[in-house]
PDB file of all heavy atoms in Angstrom:
ATOM      1  N   ASP E1242       0.794  -1.169   0.050  1.00  0.00           N
ATOM      2  CA  ASP E1242       0.024   0.067  -0.043  1.00  0.00           C
ATOM      3  C   ASP E1242       0.860   1.221   0.001  1.00  0.00           C
ATOM      4  O   ASP E1242       2.073   1.106   0.307  1.00  0.00           O
ATOM      5  CB  ASP E1242      -0.889  -0.005   1.202  1.00  0.00           C
ATOM      6  CG  ASP E1242      -0.169   0.044   2.555  1.00  0.00           C
ATOM      7  OD1 ASP E1242       0.199   1.180   2.963  1.00  0.00           O
ATOM      8  OD2 ASP E1242       0.144  -1.023   3.186  1.00  0.00           O
ATOM      9  N   CYS E1243       0.366   2.338  -0.441  1.00  0.00           N
ATOM     10  CA  CYS E1243       1.034   3.671  -0.328  1.00  0.00           C
ATOM     11  C   CYS E1243      -0.093   4.685  -0.276  1.00  0.00           C
ATOM     12  O   CYS E1243      -1.153   4.472  -0.577  1.00  0.00           O
ATOM     13  CB  CYS E1243       1.944   3.822  -1.513  1.00  0.00           C
ATOM     14  SG  CYS E1243       1.066   4.027  -3.182  1.00  0.00           S
ATOM     15  N   LEU E1244       0.377   5.913   0.008  1.00  0.00           N
ATOM     16  CA  LEU E1244      -0.553   7.082  -0.053  1.00  0.00           C
ATOM     17  C   LEU E1244      -1.071   7.239  -1.540  1.00  0.00           C
ATOM     18  O   LEU E1244      -0.215   7.258  -2.342  1.00  0.00           O
ATOM     19  CB  LEU E1244       0.171   8.388   0.464  1.00  0.00           C
ATOM     20  CG  LEU E1244       0.541   8.369   1.807  1.00  0.00           C
ATOM     21  CD1 LEU E1244       1.247   9.673   2.337  1.00  0.00           C
ATOM     22  CD2 LEU E1244      -0.631   8.186   2.836  1.00  0.00           C
ATOM     23  N   SER E1245      -2.280   7.384  -1.557  1.00  0.00           N
ATOM     24  CA  SER E1245      -2.926   7.341  -2.962  1.00  0.00           C
ATOM     25  C   SER E1245      -2.636   8.568  -3.732  1.00  0.00           C
ATOM     26  O   SER E1245      -2.763   8.693  -4.990  1.00  0.00           O
ATOM     27  CB  SER E1245      -4.509   7.239  -2.806  1.00  0.00           C
ATOM     28  OG  SER E1245      -5.048   8.156  -2.106  1.00  0.00           O
ATOM     29  N   ASP E1246      -2.212   9.713  -3.047  1.00  0.00           N
ATOM     30  CA  ASP E1246      -1.885  10.906  -3.815  1.00  0.00           C
ATOM     31  C   ASP E1246      -0.498  10.947  -4.368  1.00  0.00           C
ATOM     32  O   ASP E1246      -0.066  11.821  -5.116  1.00  0.00           O
ATOM     33  CB  ASP E1246      -2.099  12.152  -2.941  1.00  0.00           C
ATOM     34  CG  ASP E1246      -1.198  12.246  -1.822  1.00  0.00           C
ATOM     35  OD1 ASP E1246      -0.434  11.246  -1.431  1.00  0.00           O
ATOM     36  OD2 ASP E1246      -1.203  13.308  -1.105  1.00  0.00           O
ATOM     37  N   ARG E1247       0.221   9.809  -4.212  1.00  0.00           N
ATOM     38  CA  ARG E1247       1.634   9.700  -4.760  1.00  0.00           C
ATOM     39  C   ARG E1247       1.536   9.098  -6.172  1.00  0.00           C
ATOM     40  O   ARG E1247       1.680   8.019  -6.282  1.00  0.00           O
ATOM     41  CB  ARG E1247       2.541   8.833  -3.914  1.00  0.00           C
ATOM     42  CG  ARG E1247       2.655   9.401  -2.517  1.00  0.00           C
ATOM     43  CD  ARG E1247       3.329  10.694  -2.496  1.00  0.00           C
ATOM     44  NE  ARG E1247       3.129  11.588  -1.319  1.00  0.00           N
ATOM     45  CZ  ARG E1247       3.707  11.457  -0.210  1.00  0.00           C
ATOM     46  NH1 ARG E1247       4.517  10.513   0.130  1.00  0.00           N
ATOM     47  NH2 ARG E1247       3.374  12.299   0.704  1.00  0.00           N
ATOM     48  N   GLU E1248       1.152   9.939  -7.132  1.00  0.00           N
ATOM     49  CA  GLU E1248       0.820   9.481  -8.460  1.00  0.00           C
ATOM     50  C   GLU E1248       2.015   8.669  -9.117  1.00  0.00           C
ATOM     51  O   GLU E1248       1.882   7.719  -9.701  1.00  0.00           O
ATOM     52  CB  GLU E1248       0.383  10.620  -9.425  1.00  0.00           C
ATOM     53  CG  GLU E1248      -1.001  11.091  -8.946  1.00  0.00           C
ATOM     54  CD  GLU E1248      -1.460  12.318  -9.894  1.00  0.00           C
ATOM     55  OE1 GLU E1248      -1.050  12.252 -11.095  1.00  0.00           O
ATOM     56  OE2 GLU E1248      -2.146  13.193  -9.357  1.00  0.00           O
ATOM     57  N   LYS E1249       3.296   9.294  -9.023  1.00  0.00           N
ATOM     58  CA  LYS E1249       4.413   8.645  -9.617  1.00  0.00           C
ATOM     59  C   LYS E1249       4.667   7.362  -8.895  1.00  0.00           C
ATOM     60  O   LYS E1249       4.947   6.300  -9.645  1.00  0.00           O
ATOM     61  CB  LYS E1249       5.566   9.528  -9.382  1.00  0.00           C
ATOM     62  CG  LYS E1249       6.939   9.221 -10.006  1.00  0.00           C
ATOM     63  CD  LYS E1249       7.966  10.190  -9.973  1.00  0.00           C
ATOM     64  CE  LYS E1249       9.181   9.802 -10.577  1.00  0.00           C
ATOM     65  NZ  LYS E1249      10.348  10.714 -10.433  1.00  0.00           N
ATOM     66  N   LEU E1250       4.460   7.188  -7.615  1.00  0.00           N
ATOM     67  CA  LEU E1250       4.726   5.950  -6.931  1.00  0.00           C
ATOM     68  C   LEU E1250       3.741   4.952  -7.286  1.00  0.00           C
ATOM     69  O   LEU E1250       4.001   3.775  -7.593  1.00  0.00           O
ATOM     70  CB  LEU E1250       4.757   6.144  -5.339  1.00  0.00           C
ATOM     71  CG  LEU E1250       5.012   4.899  -4.496  1.00  0.00           C
ATOM     72  CD1 LEU E1250       6.479   4.371  -4.905  1.00  0.00           C
ATOM     73  CD2 LEU E1250       5.068   5.461  -3.145  1.00  0.00           C
ATOM     74  N   CYS E1251       2.451   5.276  -7.334  1.00  0.00           N
ATOM     75  CA  CYS E1251       1.316   4.406  -7.851  1.00  0.00           C
ATOM     76  C   CYS E1251       1.675   3.975  -9.214  1.00  0.00           C
ATOM     77  O   CYS E1251       1.483   2.754  -9.492  1.00  0.00           O
ATOM     78  CB  CYS E1251       0.020   5.086  -7.737  1.00  0.00           C
ATOM     79  SG  CYS E1251      -0.664   5.451  -6.021  1.00  0.00           S
ATOM     80  N   LYS E1252       2.049   4.858 -10.146  1.00  0.00           N
ATOM     81  CA  LYS E1252       2.339   4.441 -11.551  1.00  0.00           C
ATOM     82  C   LYS E1252       3.593   3.515 -11.530  1.00  0.00           C
ATOM     83  O   LYS E1252       3.643   2.537 -12.351  1.00  0.00           O
ATOM     84  CB  LYS E1252       2.554   5.670 -12.416  1.00  0.00           C
ATOM     85  CG  LYS E1252       1.375   6.451 -12.682  1.00  0.00           C
ATOM     86  CD  LYS E1252       1.732   7.673 -13.591  1.00  0.00           C
ATOM     87  CE  LYS E1252       0.528   8.465 -13.979  1.00  0.00           C
ATOM     88  NZ  LYS E1252       0.722   9.633 -14.713  1.00  0.00           N
ATOM     89  N   PHE E1253       4.500   3.677 -10.761  1.00  0.00           N
ATOM     90  CA  PHE E1253       5.592   2.750 -10.656  1.00  0.00           C
ATOM     91  C   PHE E1253       5.211   1.265 -10.275  1.00  0.00           C
ATOM     92  O   PHE E1253       5.603   0.385 -10.772  1.00  0.00           O
ATOM     93  CB  PHE E1253       6.603   3.205  -9.584  1.00  0.00           C
ATOM     94  CG  PHE E1253       7.724   2.307  -9.183  1.00  0.00           C
ATOM     95  CD1 PHE E1253       8.662   1.969 -10.111  1.00  0.00           C
ATOM     96  CD2 PHE E1253       7.663   1.490  -8.025  1.00  0.00           C
ATOM     97  CE1 PHE E1253       9.690   1.060  -9.817  1.00  0.00           C
ATOM     98  CE2 PHE E1253       8.677   0.633  -7.688  1.00  0.00           C
ATOM     99  CZ  PHE E1253       9.686   0.306  -8.591  1.00  0.00           C
ATOM    100  N   TYR E1254       4.340   1.271  -9.245  1.00  0.00           N
ATOM    101  CA  TYR E1254       3.858  -0.124  -8.823  1.00  0.00           C
ATOM    102  C   TYR E1254       2.973  -0.706  -9.935  1.00  0.00           C
ATOM    103  O   TYR E1254       3.156  -1.885 -10.236  1.00  0.00           O
ATOM    104  CB  TYR E1254       3.034   0.061  -7.531  1.00  0.00           C
ATOM    105  CG  TYR E1254       3.823   0.257  -6.310  1.00  0.00           C
ATOM    106  CD1 TYR E1254       3.283   1.328  -5.361  1.00  0.00           C
ATOM    107  CD2 TYR E1254       5.002  -0.334  -6.135  1.00  0.00           C
ATOM    108  CE1 TYR E1254       4.124   1.582  -4.210  1.00  0.00           C
ATOM    109  CE2 TYR E1254       5.758   0.030  -5.036  1.00  0.00           C
ATOM    110  CZ  TYR E1254       5.303   0.922  -4.073  1.00  0.00           C
ATOM    111  OH  TYR E1254       6.001   1.212  -2.964  1.00  0.00           O
ATOM    112  N   VAL E1255       2.294   0.105 -10.640  1.00  0.00           N
ATOM    113  CA  VAL E1255       1.447  -0.577 -11.758  1.00  0.00           C
ATOM    114  C   VAL E1255       2.361  -1.046 -12.810  1.00  0.00           C
ATOM    115  O   VAL E1255       2.190  -2.126 -13.444  1.00  0.00           O
ATOM    116  CB  VAL E1255       0.448   0.499 -12.406  1.00  0.00           C
ATOM    117  CG1 VAL E1255      -0.151   0.049 -13.737  1.00  0.00           C
ATOM    118  CG2 VAL E1255      -0.671   0.809 -11.303  1.00  0.00           C
ATOM    119  N   GLY E1256       3.556  -0.260 -13.201  1.00  0.00           N
ATOM    120  CA  GLY E1256       4.471  -0.652 -14.076  1.00  0.00           C
ATOM    121  C   GLY E1256       5.349  -1.878 -13.588  1.00  0.00           C
ATOM    122  O   GLY E1256       5.860  -2.588 -14.422  1.00  0.00           O
ATOM    123  N   GLN E1257       5.259  -2.284 -12.328  1.00  0.00           N
ATOM    124  CA  GLN E1257       5.833  -3.467 -11.884  1.00  0.00           C
ATOM    125  C   GLN E1257       4.828  -4.704 -11.694  1.00  0.00           C
ATOM    126  O   GLN E1257       5.166  -5.687 -11.146  1.00  0.00           O
ATOM    127  CB  GLN E1257       6.498  -3.219 -10.513  1.00  0.00           C
ATOM    128  CG  GLN E1257       7.519  -2.198 -10.486  1.00  0.00           C
ATOM    129  CD  GLN E1257       8.624  -2.472 -11.517  1.00  0.00           C
ATOM    130  OE1 GLN E1257       9.247  -3.541 -11.657  1.00  0.00           O
ATOM    131  NE2 GLN E1257       8.850  -1.420 -12.489  1.00  0.00           N
ATOM    132  N   GLY E1258       3.769  -4.470 -12.390  1.00  0.00           N
ATOM    133  CA  GLY E1258       2.703  -5.642 -12.369  1.00  0.00           C
ATOM    134  C   GLY E1258       1.613  -5.658 -11.345  1.00  0.00           C
ATOM    135  O   GLY E1258       0.904  -6.586 -11.214  1.00  0.00           O
ATOM    136  N   PHE E1259       1.602  -4.639 -10.548  1.00  0.00           N
ATOM    137  CA  PHE E1259       0.635  -4.460  -9.498  1.00  0.00           C
ATOM    138  C   PHE E1259      -0.689  -3.850 -10.059  1.00  0.00           C
ATOM    139  O   PHE E1259      -0.635  -3.039 -10.966  1.00  0.00           O
ATOM    140  CB  PHE E1259       1.131  -3.595  -8.328  1.00  0.00           C
ATOM    141  CG  PHE E1259       2.185  -4.359  -7.443  1.00  0.00           C
ATOM    142  CD1 PHE E1259       3.552  -4.339  -7.883  1.00  0.00           C
ATOM    143  CD2 PHE E1259       1.931  -4.953  -6.392  1.00  0.00           C
ATOM    144  CE1 PHE E1259       4.455  -4.966  -7.261  1.00  0.00           C
ATOM    145  CE2 PHE E1259       2.826  -5.582  -5.552  1.00  0.00           C
ATOM    146  CZ  PHE E1259       4.200  -5.573  -5.999  1.00  0.00           C
ATOM    147  N   ILE E1260      -1.797  -4.280  -9.432  1.00  0.00           N
ATOM    148  CA  ILE E1260      -3.068  -3.722  -9.843  1.00  0.00           C
ATOM    149  C   ILE E1260      -3.634  -3.091  -8.528  1.00  0.00           C
ATOM    150  O   ILE E1260      -3.597  -3.609  -7.448  1.00  0.00           O
ATOM    151  CB  ILE E1260      -3.984  -4.905 -10.239  1.00  0.00           C
ATOM    152  CG1 ILE E1260      -3.388  -5.490 -11.566  1.00  0.00           C
ATOM    153  CG2 ILE E1260      -5.411  -4.284 -10.486  1.00  0.00           C
ATOM    154  CD1 ILE E1260      -4.131  -6.769 -11.796  1.00  0.00           C
ATOM    155  N   LYS E1261      -4.160  -1.806  -8.626  1.00  0.00           N
ATOM    156  CA  LYS E1261      -4.908  -1.152  -7.551  1.00  0.00           C
ATOM    157  C   LYS E1261      -6.132  -1.888  -7.285  1.00  0.00           C
ATOM    158  O   LYS E1261      -7.007  -1.980  -8.179  1.00  0.00           O
ATOM    159  CB  LYS E1261      -5.032   0.251  -7.859  1.00  0.00           C
ATOM    160  CG  LYS E1261      -5.657   0.944  -6.520  1.00  0.00           C
ATOM    161  CD  LYS E1261      -5.451   2.412  -6.541  1.00  0.00           C
ATOM    162  CE  LYS E1261      -6.400   3.195  -7.618  1.00  0.00           C
ATOM    163  NZ  LYS E1261      -6.482   4.519  -7.350  1.00  0.00           N
ATOM    164  N   VAL E1262      -6.352  -2.464  -6.032  1.00  0.00           N
ATOM    165  CA  VAL E1262      -7.560  -3.090  -5.703  1.00  0.00           C
ATOM    166  C   VAL E1262      -8.402  -2.474  -4.651  1.00  0.00           C
ATOM    167  O   VAL E1262      -9.565  -2.903  -4.554  1.00  0.00           O
ATOM    168  CB  VAL E1262      -7.246  -4.659  -5.295  1.00  0.00           C
ATOM    169  CG1 VAL E1262      -6.463  -5.408  -6.306  1.00  0.00           C
ATOM    170  CG2 VAL E1262      -6.309  -4.491  -3.939  1.00  0.00           C
ATOM    171  N   ASN E1263      -7.927  -1.461  -4.208  1.00  0.00           N
ATOM    172  CA  ASN E1263      -8.770  -0.760  -3.173  1.00  0.00           C
ATOM    173  C   ASN E1263      -8.093   0.586  -2.900  1.00  0.00           C
ATOM    174  O   ASN E1263      -6.938   0.856  -3.073  1.00  0.00           O
ATOM    175  CB  ASN E1263      -9.027  -1.399  -1.857  1.00  0.00           C
ATOM    176  CG  ASN E1263      -9.999  -1.022  -0.995  1.00  0.00           C
ATOM    177  OD1 ASN E1263     -10.931  -0.202  -1.463  1.00  0.00           O
ATOM    178  ND2 ASN E1263      -9.983  -1.242   0.272  1.00  0.00           N
ATOM    179  N   GLU E1264      -8.970   1.579  -2.519  1.00  0.00           N
ATOM    180  CA  GLU E1264      -8.494   2.838  -2.101  1.00  0.00           C
ATOM    181  C   GLU E1264      -9.454   3.254  -0.826  1.00  0.00           C
ATOM    182  O   GLU E1264     -10.732   3.149  -1.074  1.00  0.00           O
ATOM    183  CB  GLU E1264      -8.574   3.924  -3.200  1.00  0.00           C
ATOM    184  CG  GLU E1264      -7.798   5.206  -2.887  1.00  0.00           C
ATOM    185  CD  GLU E1264      -7.626   6.048  -4.008  1.00  0.00           C
ATOM    186  OE1 GLU E1264      -7.406   5.536  -5.041  1.00  0.00           O
ATOM    187  OE2 GLU E1264      -7.695   7.212  -3.846  1.00  0.00           O
ATOM    188  N   CYS E1265      -8.909   3.793   0.177  1.00  0.00           N
ATOM    189  CA  CYS E1265      -9.736   4.152   1.359  1.00  0.00           C
ATOM    190  C   CYS E1265      -8.814   5.060   2.249  1.00  0.00           C
ATOM    191  O   CYS E1265      -7.696   5.074   2.032  1.00  0.00           O
ATOM    192  CB  CYS E1265     -10.353   2.944   2.136  1.00  0.00           C
ATOM    193  SG  CYS E1265      -9.113   1.905   2.925  1.00  0.00           S
ATOM    194  N   LEU E1266      -9.602   5.546   3.255  1.00  0.00           N
ATOM    195  CA  LEU E1266      -8.783   6.384   4.276  1.00  0.00           C
ATOM    196  C   LEU E1266      -8.510   5.381   5.390  1.00  0.00           C
ATOM    197  O   LEU E1266      -9.279   4.668   5.970  1.00  0.00           O
ATOM    198  CB  LEU E1266      -9.807   7.378   4.870  1.00  0.00           C
ATOM    199  CG  LEU E1266     -10.050   8.698   4.134  1.00  0.00           C
ATOM    200  CD1 LEU E1266     -11.028   9.594   4.875  1.00  0.00           C
ATOM    201  CD2 LEU E1266      -8.689   9.390   3.843  1.00  0.00           C
ATOM    202  N   VAL E1267      -7.125   5.331   5.624  1.00  0.00           N
ATOM    203  CA  VAL E1267      -6.600   4.479   6.714  1.00  0.00           C
ATOM    204  C   VAL E1267      -6.534   5.429   8.021  1.00  0.00           C
ATOM    205  O   VAL E1267      -6.021   6.453   7.935  1.00  0.00           O
ATOM    206  CB  VAL E1267      -5.234   3.947   6.388  1.00  0.00           C
ATOM    207  CG1 VAL E1267      -4.581   3.327   7.474  1.00  0.00           C
ATOM    208  CG2 VAL E1267      -5.369   3.034   5.156  1.00  0.00           C
ATOM    209  N   PHE E1268      -6.972   4.809   9.164  1.00  0.00           N
ATOM    210  CA  PHE E1268      -6.995   5.625  10.385  1.00  0.00           C
ATOM    211  C   PHE E1268      -7.788   6.810  10.248  1.00  0.00           C
ATOM    212  O   PHE E1268      -7.451   7.769  10.905  1.00  0.00           O
ATOM    213  CB  PHE E1268      -5.545   5.743  11.018  1.00  0.00           C
ATOM    214  CG  PHE E1268      -4.664   4.563  10.970  1.00  0.00           C
ATOM    215  CD1 PHE E1268      -3.445   4.679  10.377  1.00  0.00           C
ATOM    216  CD2 PHE E1268      -5.067   3.376  11.698  1.00  0.00           C
ATOM    217  CE1 PHE E1268      -2.613   3.410  10.449  1.00  0.00           C
ATOM    218  CE2 PHE E1268      -4.376   2.310  11.741  1.00  0.00           C
ATOM    219  CZ  PHE E1268      -3.108   2.267  11.117  1.00  0.00           C
ATOM    220  N   GLY E1269      -8.689   6.827   9.411  1.00  0.00           N
ATOM    221  CA  GLY E1269      -9.606   7.811   9.169  1.00  0.00           C
ATOM    222  C   GLY E1269      -9.009   9.090   8.658  1.00  0.00           C
ATOM    223  O   GLY E1269      -9.686  10.266   8.570  1.00  0.00           O
ATOM    224  N   LYS E1270      -7.673   9.236   8.102  1.00  0.00           N
ATOM    225  CA  LYS E1270      -7.107  10.385   7.691  1.00  0.00           C
ATOM    226  C   LYS E1270      -6.128  10.222   6.485  1.00  0.00           C
ATOM    227  O   LYS E1270      -5.751  11.154   6.011  1.00  0.00           O
ATOM    228  CB  LYS E1270      -6.401  11.153   8.776  1.00  0.00           C
ATOM    229  CG  LYS E1270      -5.400  10.450   9.491  1.00  0.00           C
ATOM    230  CD  LYS E1270      -4.841  11.378  10.612  1.00  0.00           C
ATOM    231  CE  LYS E1270      -3.768  10.632  11.409  1.00  0.00           C
ATOM    232  NZ  LYS E1270      -3.319  11.625  12.499  1.00  0.00           N
ATOM    233  N   TYR E1271      -5.619   9.017   6.315  1.00  0.00           N
ATOM    234  CA  TYR E1271      -4.618   8.788   5.228  1.00  0.00           C
ATOM    235  C   TYR E1271      -5.236   8.169   3.986  1.00  0.00           C
ATOM    236  O   TYR E1271      -5.491   6.956   3.924  1.00  0.00           O
ATOM    237  CB  TYR E1271      -3.482   7.924   5.769  1.00  0.00           C
ATOM    238  CG  TYR E1271      -2.744   8.464   7.028  1.00  0.00           C
ATOM    239  CD1 TYR E1271      -2.913   7.927   8.255  1.00  0.00           C
ATOM    240  CD2 TYR E1271      -1.942   9.573   6.893  1.00  0.00           C
ATOM    241  CE1 TYR E1271      -2.232   8.436   9.433  1.00  0.00           C
ATOM    242  CE2 TYR E1271      -1.340  10.131   8.001  1.00  0.00           C
ATOM    243  CZ  TYR E1271      -1.610   9.624   9.246  1.00  0.00           C
ATOM    244  OH  TYR E1271      -0.847   9.969  10.341  1.00  0.00           O
ATOM    245  N   PRO E1272      -5.391   8.935   2.869  1.00  0.00           N
ATOM    246  CA  PRO E1272      -5.789   8.340   1.766  1.00  0.00           C
ATOM    247  C   PRO E1272      -4.852   7.363   1.097  1.00  0.00           C
ATOM    248  O   PRO E1272      -3.835   7.619   0.723  1.00  0.00           O
ATOM    249  CB  PRO E1272      -5.989   9.516   0.770  1.00  0.00           C
ATOM    250  CG  PRO E1272      -5.153  10.522   1.278  1.00  0.00           C
ATOM    251  CD  PRO E1272      -5.057  10.259   2.746  1.00  0.00           C
ATOM    252  N   THR E1273      -5.256   6.062   1.142  1.00  0.00           N
ATOM    253  CA  THR E1273      -4.264   4.999   0.907  1.00  0.00           C
ATOM    254  C   THR E1273      -4.681   4.201  -0.270  1.00  0.00           C
ATOM    255  O   THR E1273      -6.029   3.749  -0.398  1.00  0.00           O
ATOM    256  CB  THR E1273      -4.046   4.035   2.187  1.00  0.00           C
ATOM    257  OG1 THR E1273      -3.629   4.993   3.202  1.00  0.00           O
ATOM    258  CG2 THR E1273      -3.206   2.891   1.835  1.00  0.00           C
ATOM    259  N   ALA E1274      -3.899   3.811  -1.201  1.00  0.00           N
ATOM    260  CA  ALA E1274      -4.075   2.938  -2.319  1.00  0.00           C
ATOM    261  C   ALA E1274      -3.532   1.498  -1.933  1.00  0.00           C
ATOM    262  O   ALA E1274      -2.504   1.448  -1.398  1.00  0.00           O
ATOM    263  CB  ALA E1274      -3.571   3.423  -3.586  1.00  0.00           C
TER     264      ALA E1274
END
């Protein structure tokens, strides 16, 4: 998982074969992918 607003990091993970399966607020305050 990572913070969902880290677009470059999220794209990096997708480029490594990962698929985003969920996005939610963790601990009520961290938007997490």
Side-chain angles (χ1 to χ4, degrees):
D1242 62 86
C1243 69
L1244 292 177
S1245 58
D1246 65 352
R1247 301 294 157 80
E1248 290 179 32
K1249 187 175 177 183
L1250 184 57
C1251 290
K1252 285 180 183 177
F1253 169 75
Y1254 290 137
V1255 169
Q1257 298 307 308
F1259 288 81
I1260 298 166
K1261 184 163 67 168
V1262 294
N1263 193 17
E1264 191 170 324
C1265 66
L1266 282 179
V1267 172
F1268 307 126
K1270 61 182 179 178
Y1271 301 109
T1273 304

